[in-house]
């Protein structure tokens, strides 16, 4: 007796193919297509059905790389089923292609893993929905440019006409159309006989075929075609599909193409080329300088909005005028200002206050953010940028309703943004340390990894022609914006990925970095000098700003009819022109395809916290230390040669005005700024002591005189609320005010020798007197001087905006394990055979299918007896059960105890012990023997 096992039968459906997978295979499917696991399918049949729905298939096709997409497109125009060798021939052509041969197993494995293809290598089947999406049709041409087969094109042709074609090409006539079409198909797929047939056709007729060979395969003719067209129609090399329309059969096109389904097959991803290479120390130092600039810019932005930022538009977001004002205040272009505003919003540092007069202001989280070390503050911004789906580059563009997209407004979320950012940075991480990429090669690589959808979108994602003429799609723009934003944020320096940028992504440090000496801290005078790729292109450059990479379409180009001389034209000849060329085949000794750069998955909260901590440790030594001193100069200015300690910076910001920014900040002392410090409650002695303590140079005499002069006049006039009044002990000063023509608008009148009353309110009176050159002070009702400080306006506690996910979230390992366990258990229960009861031998439930779809039906006594017997024997049973909602279902249970009107059993369907009321059980049935 042989002990050899019988070979496993080939699967007959996708459900059977999934049933043959192990748990790792099912986990890979659910991980690559997370929409299949929400909600968890009841069994594998339901999983297969869901995997074949149009929405799920379209989503899966859109996430394939270009070569895998081309593989699916080739399967769609191949026979169903097709062998692996047939598929290889469609992709590699008659001459073969070593690169295609090397890459095809991986592409087929990916399609199988994602349940888009099933079956063994000798019977590969594309799921029906994918075939419908990718197969050619007159309404939705195939990306391959192929037309229908001979059988499809002759479906509506008369039998007599088919016999005429068969006779013309030299085949024996047949007794029916089916065999005639089969004979014609055999002729067109035979390379030798097809070559002989084409040799009989004049060159001008072959030229017509070459104009249709790469698609579109349809052309228009009149009722009286030219002779060159008539020869093709008589031989079936062109077949009519409608009055005035002809098509090139698929078999003929494949012969002319040399067996290739695509004009250009791209099995190897385009490499990311390095545009420049810098020393790693220079990269890290430049990136650290940019990181410091980023922190200073965000602080300056929110300091400008400290007392209440711009108003919120009724439709949401910043107005164009407010964005322009913010750009002027930050001294950056508007597109860059939009980036910093959106970054602060993504980090939860700014939000709307929610008041009736809604305005933007800093959140309470901003105050705690300010107290943290600089390196930690940077990692907060970097992590928020990586995860944000809001896309500042879209600001200023138009939405689908032709409305302008505003900063902080709706419509800026793009779900692909986080994935593209991480993918671009992963490509940078794959380059040698210190190498800056060419932005064009990065875009080409992204287009290969995720081909943009064609204009129609219905023929399936991707295109056969490659990335040369894809246009400026969203992912390419996101890639450009990522390079520019990463440079401004300090993740990259001079275009290359920095050490702290690599760390914040969760990547290990390169081996070469372990032995090199870290650069010293960045001096403040050297910040903001990055000149790497991307620094000249801010976010929001919009489509069409880069150089065109598409094919030429001007006069004389290869795609124009007149490019290669005059074309012969006949009556009604309006066929497209495509000049036939055969793509070059790589030499067998060509280098192997480069390995793909690792994809960076989104980090969990714990992983991101660890990555941020590591990045902060690497960045901290590179950032300049805050200084506790300034350099006072005789021209009433103070120079801060670097970042100042926060108390010093805050006080100096009140006492002086910022005149210029950069590596070194220049402050200018004016009477107004000194008066501002006095209004805040500082005395002249306090200001002298402050400057003496924090200046590395002696306090200039002009500055001392300025402070004393403003302090002597400060508070000499007192303004209170009458509506408003002015009080002064020197009546000569009041006479001077009354005599000044500029005081006419204040409505002043004397009510006492030392008191003037005004129609203006106290704030307006204070401002008017200050414009006249006086230094009044406000006083309370008790006569005390009021100390005026700028009150920081804060919103109520706000959370950072949640990223908008791209489809269902990827399941974690716990959910995957539980889902697979539930699907396995449900499939076991759904496929377990049961014996047919006596009541199911006839009627609708009788026959072979009785045990598969209908609920078991038995009487109460028989149900109770069967359950009690199963408790004694330990056998499993089928039961029909109606739950509390009235939903009927079938379960496979192993009864453990029957008492009190309940049965306690192990439920194989749910994979747990459950209790069922007996009155809800419709019937029971024994499972069939294994042999049956």
């Amino acid at each position: 007796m042989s002990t050899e096992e019988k070979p496993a039968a080939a699967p007959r459906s996708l459900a059977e193919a999934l049933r043959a997978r192990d748990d790792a295979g099912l986990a890979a499917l659910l991980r690559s297509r997370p929409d299949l696991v929400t909600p968890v399918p009841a069994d594998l049949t339901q999983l297969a059905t869901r995997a074949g729905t149009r929405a799920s298939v379209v989503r899966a096709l859109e996430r394939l790389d270009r070569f895998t997409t081309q593989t699916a497109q080739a399967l769609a125009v191949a026979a169903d089923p097709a062998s692996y060798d047939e598929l290889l021939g469609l992709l590699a052509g008659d001459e073969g292609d070593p690169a295609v041969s090397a890459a095809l197993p991986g592409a087929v494995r990916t399609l199988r893993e994602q349940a888009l293809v099933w079956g063994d290598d000798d019977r590969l089947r594309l799921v029906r929905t994918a075939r419908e999406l990718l197969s050619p049709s007159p309404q939705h041409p195939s990306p391959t440019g192929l037309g229908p087969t001979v059988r499809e094109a002759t479906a509506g042709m008369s039998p007599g006409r088919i016999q005429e074609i068969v006779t013309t090409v030299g085949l024996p006539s047949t007794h029916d159309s089916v065999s005639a079409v089969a004979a014609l198909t055999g002729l067109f797929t035979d390379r030798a006989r097809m070559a002989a047939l084409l040799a009989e056709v004049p060159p001008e007729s072959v030229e017509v075929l070459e104009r249709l060979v790469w698609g579109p395969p349809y052309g228009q003719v009149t009722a009286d075609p030219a002779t060159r067209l008539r020869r093709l129609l008589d031989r079936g090399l062109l077949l009519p599909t409608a009055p005035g329309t002809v098509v090139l059969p698929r078999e003929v096109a494949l012969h002319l193409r040399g067996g290739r389904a695509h004009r250009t097959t791209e099995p190897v991803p385009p490499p990311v080329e390095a545009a420049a290479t810098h020393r790693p120390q220079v990269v890290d130092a430049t990136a650290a300088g940019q990181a410091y600039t980023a922190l200073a810019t965000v602080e300056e932005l929110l300091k400008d909005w400290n007392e209440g930022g711009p108003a919120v538009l009724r439709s949401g977001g910043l107005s164009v005028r407010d964005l322009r004002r913010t750009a002027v205040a930050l001294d950056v272009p508007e597109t860059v200002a939009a980036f910093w505003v959106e970054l602060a919003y993504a980090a939860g540092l700014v939000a709307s206050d929610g008041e009736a007069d809604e305005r933007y202001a800093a959140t309470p989280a901003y105050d705690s953010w300010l107290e943290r070390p600089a390196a930690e503050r940077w990692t907060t911004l970097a992590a928020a940028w990586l995860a944000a789906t809001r896309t500042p580059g879209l600001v200023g563009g138009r939405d689908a309703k032709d409305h302008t997209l505003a900063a902080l407004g709706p419509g800026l979320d793009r779900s692909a943004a986080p994935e593209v950012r991480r993918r671009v940075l992963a490509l940078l991480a794959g380059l040698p340390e210190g190498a800056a990429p060419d932005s064009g090669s990065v875009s080409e690589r992204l287009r290969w990894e995720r081909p943009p959808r064609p204009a129609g979108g219905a023929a399936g994602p991707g295109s056969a022609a490659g990335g040369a003429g894809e246009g400026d799609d969203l992912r390419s723009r996101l890639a450009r914006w990522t390079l520019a934003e990463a440079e401004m944020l300090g993740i990259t320096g001079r275009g290359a990925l920095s050490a702290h940028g690599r760390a914040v992504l969760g990547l290990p440090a390169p081996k070469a970095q372990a032995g090199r000496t870290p650069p010293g801290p960045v001096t403040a005078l050297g910040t903001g000098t990055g000149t790497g790729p991307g620094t000249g292109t801010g976010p929001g450059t919009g489509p069409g700003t880069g150089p065109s990479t598409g094919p030429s379409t001007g006069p004389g180009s290869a795609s124009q009819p007149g490019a290669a001389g005059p074309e012969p034209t006949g009556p009604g000849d309006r066929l497209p022109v495509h000049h036939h060329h055969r793509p070059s085949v790589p030499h067998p000794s060509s280098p192997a395809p480069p390995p793909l750069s690792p994809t960076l998955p989104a980090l969990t909260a714990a992983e991101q916290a660890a990555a941020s901590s590591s990045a902060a440790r690497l960045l901290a030594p590179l950032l300049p230390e805050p200084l506790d001193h300034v350099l006072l100069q005789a021209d009433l200015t103070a120079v801060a040669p670097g970042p100042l300690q926060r108390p010093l910076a805050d006080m100096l910001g009140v006492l002086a005005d910022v005149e210029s920014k950069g590596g070194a900040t220049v402050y200018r002392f004016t009477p107004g700024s000194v008066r501002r410090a006095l209004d805040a409650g500082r005395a002249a002695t306090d200001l002298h002591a402050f400057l003496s303590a924090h200046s590395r140079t002696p306090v200039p005499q002009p500055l001392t005189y300025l402070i004393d002069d403003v302090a002597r006049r400060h508070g000499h006039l007192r303004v209170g609320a009458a509506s408003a009044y002015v009080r002064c002990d020197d009546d000569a000063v009041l006479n001077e005010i009354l005599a000044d023509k500029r005081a006419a608008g204040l409505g002043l009148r004397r009510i006492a020798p030392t008191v003037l009353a005004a129609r203006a309110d106290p704030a307006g009176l204070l401002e008017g007197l200050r414009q006249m050159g006086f230094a009044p002070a406000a006083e309370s009702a008790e006569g005390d001087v009021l100390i005026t400080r700028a009150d920081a306006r804060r919103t109520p506690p706000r959370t950072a905006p949640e990223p908008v996910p791209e489809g269902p979230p990827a399941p974690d390992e716990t959910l995957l394990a539980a889902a697979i366990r539930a699907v396995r258990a449900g499939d076991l229960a759904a496929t377990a055979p049961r014996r047919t009861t006596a009541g199911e031998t006839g009627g609708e439930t009788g026959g072979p299918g009785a045990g598969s779809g209908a609920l078991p039906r038995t009487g109460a006594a028989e149900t109770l007896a069967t359950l009690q017997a199963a408790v004694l024997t330990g056998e499993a049973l089928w039961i029909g059960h109606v739950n509390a909602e009235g939903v009927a279902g079938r379960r496979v249970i192993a009864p453990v105890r029957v008492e009190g009107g309940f049965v306690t059993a192990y439920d194989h369907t749910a994979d747990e012990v459950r209790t069922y009321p007996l009155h809800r059980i419709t019937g029971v049935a024994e499972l069939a023997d294994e042999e049956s």
Side-chain angles (χ1 to χ4, degrees), residues 180-234:
V181 170
L184 196 61
T185 301
L187 171 64
F188 289 165
T189 54
D190 190 312
R191 291 288 188 264
R193 290 195 295 161
M194 186 63 180
L197 178 62
L198 290 175
E200 302 173 359
V201 180
E204 59 268 18
S205 297
V206 176
E207 187 179 3
V208 172
L209 297 179
E210 291 180 349
R211 292 164 61 185
L212 296 171
V213 66
W214 293 108
Y218 295 91
Q220 294 182 348
V221 297
T222 62
D224 182 21
T227 304
R228 62 196 179 109
L229 298 177
R230 172 57 61 190
R231 293 191 183 100
L232 300 176
L233 290 169
D234 291 343

Side-chain angles (χ1 to χ4, degrees), residues 364-436:
Y366 171 66
D367 298 314
S368 58
W369 179 77
L370 281 178
E371 300 301 323
R372 297 166 60 187
E376 293 183 13
R377 284 186 280 134
W378 179 84
T379 59
T380 300
L381 298 180
W385 175 74
L386 285 171
T389 56
R390 294 186 62 82
T391 311
L394 296 172
V395 172
R398 297 279 178 173
D399 62 9
K401 297 181 179 179
D402 201 33
H403 296 160
T404 302
L405 295 172
L408 301 181
L412 294 183
D413 284 288
R414 296 296 181 270
S415 301
E419 187 266 334
V420 172
R421 291 191 189 112
R422 288 189 170 273
R423 185 59 192 144
V424 168
L425 296 176
L427 293 176
L428 267 64
L431 293 174
E433 193 177 8

Side-chain angles (χ1 to χ4, degrees), residues 432-530:
E433 193 177 8
D438 174 66
S439 59
S441 65
V442 172
S443 297
E444 287 297 321
R445 179 61 169 267
L446 290 181
R447 280 197 289 265
W448 185 91
E449 294 179 353
R450 189 79 62 84
R453 299 182 64 180
S463 68
E470 292 293 353
D472 201 21
D473 60 284
L474 176 62
R475 289 177 66 85
S476 297
R477 286 184 289 157
L478 287 173
R480 289 203 314 271
W481 295 333
T482 296
L483 292 174
E485 293 168 2
E487 187 75 16
M488 289 189 294
L489 192 53
I491 292 179
T492 60
R494 299 197 177 186
L497 189 63
S498 63
H500 52 271
R502 188 184 299 268
V504 82
L505 295 170
L507 294 174
K511 295 180 180 179
Q513 185 180 339
R516 64 179 171 93
T517 304
V522 178
T523 60
L525 295 175
T527 59
T529 59

Side-chain angles (χ1 to χ4, degrees), residues 125-187:
R125 291 182 181 272
L126 197 63
V127 295
R128 182 181 304 174
T129 307
R131 180 172 288 274
E132 293 172 355
L133 289 169
L134 300 176
S135 294
S137 67
Q139 295 77 20
H140 305 297
S142 169
T144 62
L146 293 171
T149 62
V150 173
R151 181 178 61 83
E152 295 168 347
T154 58
M157 190 177 295
S158 65
R161 177 59 182 150
I162 295 176
Q163 294 297 335
E164 291 177 5
I165 295 175
V166 169
T167 304
T168 304
V169 296
L171 296 176
S173 59
T174 61
H175 60 281
D176 65 324
S177 299
V178 175
S179 56
V181 170
L184 196 61
T185 301
L187 171 64

Side-chain angles (χ1 to χ4, degrees), residues 833-854:
R834 65 181 177 87
R835 295 178 182 174
T836 304
T837 61
E840 296 173 341
T841 56
E844 295 182 357
T845 59
S852 59

Side-chain angles (χ1 to χ4, degrees), residues 311-679:
V312 181
L313 291 175
R314 186 164 51 185
S315 58
L318 281 180
S319 67
V320 176
R321 180 182 301 174
D322 288 328
L323 179 61
R324 187 176 298 117
R325 289 173 179 168
T326 301
V328 171
L330 298 180
D331 194 19
V332 295
E334 292 181 30
T335 52
V336 178
F339 167 71
W340 294 119
V341 170
E342 285 287 344
L343 179 63
Y345 178 64
L349 305 180
V350 67
S352 61
D353 55 15
E355 302 292 337
D357 180 21
E358 195 172 14
R359 310 185 75 84
Y360 288 106
T363 64
Y366 171 66
D367 298 314
S368 58
W369 179 77
L370 281 178
E371 300 301 323
R372 297 166 60 187
E376 293 183 13
R377 284 186 280 134
W378 179 84
T379 59
T380 300
L381 298 180
W385 175 74
L386 285 171
T389 56
R390 294 186 62 82
T391 311
L394 296 172
V395 172
R398 297 279 178 173
D399 62 9
K401 297 181 179 179
D402 201 33
H403 296 160
T404 302
L405 295 172
L408 301 181
L412 294 183
D413 284 288
R414 296 296 181 270
S415 301
E419 187 266 334
V420 172
R421 291 191 189 112
R422 288 189 170 273
R423 185 59 192 144
V424 168
L425 296 176
L427 293 176
L428 267 64
L431 293 174
E433 193 177 8
D438 174 66
S439 59
S441 65
V442 172
S443 297
E444 287 297 321
R445 179 61 169 267
L446 290 181
R447 280 197 289 265
W448 185 91
E449 294 179 353
R450 189 79 62 84
R453 299 182 64 180
S463 68
E470 292 293 353
D472 201 21
D473 60 284
L474 176 62
R475 289 177 66 85
S476 297
R477 286 184 289 157
L478 287 173
R480 289 203 314 271
W481 295 333
T482 296
L483 292 174
E485 293 168 2
E487 187 75 16
M488 289 189 294
L489 192 53
I491 292 179
T492 60
R494 299 197 177 186
L497 189 63
S498 63
H500 52 271
R502 188 184 299 268
V504 82
L505 295 170
L507 294 174
K511 295 180 180 179
Q513 185 180 339
R516 64 179 171 93
T517 304
V522 178
T523 60
L525 295 175
T527 59
T529 59
T531 58
T535 56
T537 305
T541 54
T545 57
S548 174
T549 58
S552 174
T553 56
S557 66
S559 61
Q560 295 297 322
E567 294 287 344
T569 58
D573 182 4
R574 287 185 286 171
L575 303 176
V577 176
H578 293 277
H579 293 282
H580 178 67
H581 75 279
R582 188 176 302 279
S584 60
V585 178
H587 194 271
S589 62
S590 58
L596 293 175
S597 300
T599 301
L600 298 180
L603 303 180
T604 63
E607 292 171 342
Q608 186 60 66
S612 298
S613 176
S614 176
R617 286 195 301 270
L618 291 173
L619 178 61
L622 305 179
L623 293 177
E625 290 292 335
L627 304 177
D628 62 351
H629 64 275
V630 295
L631 306 176
L632 295 178
Q633 302 185 104
D635 59 349
L636 296 180
T637 60
V639 177
L644 300 177
Q645 294 179 353
R646 188 159 305 283
L648 173 59
D650 292 342
M651 182 59 195
L652 200 58
V654 176
L655 181 58
D657 298 324
V658 176
E659 186 171 78
S660 65
K661 296 175 294 184
T665 305
V666 177
Y667 295 86
R668 177 164 294 279
F669 299 94
T670 64
S673 65
V674 174
R675 190 208 66 244
R676 186 170 61 231
L678 296 174
D679 287 343

